[in-house]
Amino acid sequence: QLQVVESGGGLVQPGGSLRLSCVVSGFSLNHYVIGWFRQAPGKEREGVSCISVSGGGTDYAESVKGRFTISTDNAKKAVYLQMNSLKSEDTATYYCAAEQKSNMPDCTIQPHYGFWGRGTQVTVSS
């Protein structure tokens, strides 16, 4: 079964930056669509960003546009979420999710993914 492992979370001050990493164990990263989601205490999980690796297509939640950037490193089978200008409202557990391209030709920030990581905590506080 496909494995998805996130890392890179931590405590940062408002205005700071973090880069989250998602390592996907599978035949080829090009065969998958990757999404980033987050869930804050007391709130429902929301989509943050996604990427269709082979096609280069991306999408972002309106709340993170201009601040977050999703990218890939195929050699490392990794997907990154660069988060800049972090705000306190970005505090959440961040999850990486994967789905086969055959099932999802284009990426979506809706939670329609078959494989999920366990999450990495991001806390933005002074």
Side-chain angles (χ1 to χ4, degrees):
Q1 193 173 127
L2 185 70
Q3 290 185 303
V4 180
V5 181
E6 312 97 329
S7 63
L11 174 65
V12 295
Q13 295 183 346
S17 298
L18 278 176
R19 188 179 73 163
L20 305 183
S21 177
C22 173
V23 177
V24 181
S25 298
F27 181 73
S28 174
L29 193 61
N30 289 337
H31 296 165
Y32 297 93
V33 177
I34 306 297
W36 281 100
F37 298 81
R38 67 186 182 186
Q39 187 167 18
K43 297 183 179 180
E44 294 196 48
R45 188 170 299 184
E46 65 171 340
V48 176
S49 184
C50 68
I51 186 166
S52 298
V53 178
S54 61
T58 60
D59 196 15
Y60 297 90
E62 192 68 30
S63 60
V64 307
K65 286 182 178 178
R67 299 189 298 121
F68 291 10
T69 304
I70 192 168
S71 63
T72 63
D73 184 334
N74 290 349
K76 296 181 178 180
K77 294 186 176 181
V79 178
Y80 304 104
L81 184 67
Q82 179 67 44
M83 306 186 295
N84 298 326
S85 302
L86 284 163
K87 307 173 181 179
S88 60
E89 51 261 47
D90 294 317
T91 295
T93 300
Y94 283 70
Y95 299 89
C96 182
E99 182 56 80
Q100 297 178 67
K101 271 188 169 294
S102 60
N103 296 329
M104 189 182 294
D106 200 6
C107 80
T108 178
I109 57 174
Q110 297 297 313
H112 302 146
Y113 292 77
F115 302 92
W116 293 79
R118 298 179 66 182
T120 185
Q121 179 66 38
V122 172
T123 302
V124 184
S125 177
S126 59

